Amino acid sequence: MTTTAVRSRTDARDGRLPGVWGLGLRRGALEIKQFFRQRDQVVFTFAFPVVFLFLFASIFSDDVEGAGIKASQLYVPAMMAAGIMSTSFQSLGISIAVERDEKVLRRLRGTPMPPAAYFLGKIWLVLVTGILETAILLLVGTTLYDVDLPSDAGKWFAFAWIFVLGLTGCALLGIAVSSVPKSSKSASSVVVLPFLVLQFISGVYISIDTIPDWMLNIGALFPLKWMCQGLRGVFLPDSAQVLEQAGGWELGRTALVLGAWCVGGLLLCLLTFRWKSRRDG
C-alpha cells in the first residue's frame, strides 16, 4: 500500500479531508509521474534547448569585441531563460488546453478536489522540470563553453529570484493562454508561435546589440527578455554589459517587470480561465 493511500485512509478515519496543500502535493506527484512515463516527451523537453545551445554556440564561437567574452557564452544564459519559459509557459499552455478539450478539466471540476489543488499540481511539475532543465543547461555551459559560476552570494541570490519570478510569471501566462486555443489540435500552433517570436526578439537566438530597438521594445513587454538579461548579469562578466540595450544589467527593473508579470498573469488567469471548452458552451 502506498504512503498516499495510507494517509488518505488515516484522514478518512479521523473525519478529516486532506487540505489544499496536501492534495496539491499529491496532484503534483501524479503530474510528475505521468510526465516521466512519456519518454519521448521527456527527451524532447530536455534535449531541445541543449541541441540549440550546441548549434548556435558552435556556429558563433568568436570573441565579442569589447565585451570580454566569446559569442558562445551569450547563448548559455539565454537558453536557460528559454528553457524556463519552455517548461512553464509552453508546457502549461499546451497541456491544459489538451486536458480541457479532452474534458479532463470538466471531470476534475466535478470532484471534491479544490480547484487550487489542480493548479498546485501543475506548479510542482513546472518547478521540477524547470530546475532540471536549468541544471542541465548550466552543466553544459560550464563544462563546454567556459561559463563561470558566480563567486559571491549576491549573484546566486539574483539567480534564485530571477528563476522563481520568471518561472511563476511564465507559468501563470501559460495557464492564461491555454484558454485561447479552440481545440487541442490548435494548441501547439497557438502557443509555440508567439514563444518562437519572443525568442528571436528577446536575445535568445540573436545578440541583443544586433536586434532593432523597436523589436527589443516589443520584447521588453514580456518576461523572456528580462530573464535573458538578468541571467546574463549573473553568469557573464560586467564587461559584457556594453552589449545590452541600456548598457547595464538593470536587475532592479528586471525584478519589477517579472514581479508585474506574476501579478498580471494571476489576474489574467482569474479573468480568462475556463474549465470547459468553447464547444461545450
Side-chain angles (χ1 to χ4, degrees):
M1 184 180 298
T2 64
T3 303
T4 301
V6 171
R7 288 177 179 173
S8 299
R9 291 192 176 187
T10 301
D11 292 339
R13 287 197 299 268
D14 294 343
R16 295 182 292 106
L17 291 175
V20 173
W21 285 104
L23 288 172
L25 184 60
R26 296 172 193 180
R27 180 72 195 179
L30 177 62
E31 294 275 358
I32 294 169
K33 185 181 297 184
Q34 289 177 336
F35 172 79
F36 281 102
R37 281 178 176 173
Q38 302 177 42
R39 295 183 181 180
D40 54 343
Q41 181 182 2
V42 173
V43 172
F44 179 82
T45 298
F46 293 125
F48 186 82
V50 175
V51 170
F52 267 68
L53 172 59
F54 176 77
L55 288 174
F56 280 96
S58 298
I59 295 170
F60 304 101
S61 57
D62 297 334
D63 293 337
V64 180
E65 185 177 354
I69 60 171
K70 293 181 178 180
S72 57
Q73 292 176 291
L74 283 171
Y75 287 104
V76 177
M79 288 298 178
M80 288 171 62
I84 292 172
M85 192 166 187
S86 173
T87 56
S88 53
F89 169 78
Q90 181 174 290
S91 174
L92 293 186
I94 295 174
S95 65
I96 294 177
V98 171
E99 289 177 357
R100 180 185 293 109
D101 192 51
E102 294 178 349
K103 297 182 172 55
V104 174
L105 295 187
R106 190 173 184 177
R107 291 194 294 270
L108 287 175
R109 193 70 177 93
T111 68
M113 183 183 74
Y118 169 78
F119 295 109
L120 284 173
K122 291 294 185 184
I123 294 299
W124 279 115
L125 172 63
V126 165
L127 181 62
V128 170
T129 54
I131 290 174
L132 289 175
E133 183 79 271
T134 303
I136 292 170
L137 288 167
L138 189 56
L139 177 63
V140 173
T142 54
T143 303
L144 300 180
Y145 303 112
D146 300 322
V147 172
D148 295 325
L149 294 176
S151 57
D152 62 274
K155 286 197 171 184
W156 280 114
F157 177 70
F159 170 71
W161 63 253
I162 291 169
F163 177 84
V164 171
L165 290 180
L167 190 77
T168 302
C170 290
L172 290 170
L173 185 57
I175 294 172
V177 82
S178 71
S179 296
V180 176
K182 293 183 178 181
S183 68
S184 58
K185 294 180 180 180
S186 63
S188 294
S189 300
V190 171
V191 176
V192 172
L193 178 59
F195 179 41
L196 182 62
V197 172
L198 280 178
Q199 289 179 84
F200 275 98
I201 66 176
S202 299
V204 175
Y205 299 139
I206 303 174
S207 179
I208 282 288
D209 62 332
T210 61
I211 302 175
D213 283 343
W214 67 269
M215 285 189 180
L216 288 175
N217 292 334
I218 295 175
L221 298 175
F222 299 92
L224 182 57
K225 185 262 186 186
W226 298 100
M227 286 193 292
C228 291
Q229 184 170 310
L231 291 176
R232 284 194 292 268
V234 171
F235 293 105
L236 298 183
D238 289 339
S239 58
Q241 294 184 78
V242 297
L243 301 176
E244 301 297 336
Q245 186 180 21
W249 301 130
E250 298 182 290
L251 291 181
R253 181 173 293 184
T254 298
L256 287 175
V257 174
L258 294 181
W261 266 107
C262 290
V263 176
L266 179 60
L267 292 175
L268 281 174
C269 290
L270 295 174
L271 292 173
T272 64
F273 188 81
R274 294 177 291 103
W275 291 92
K276 298 186 294 183
S277 67
R278 298 177 187 178
R279 291 176 297 181
D280 295 332

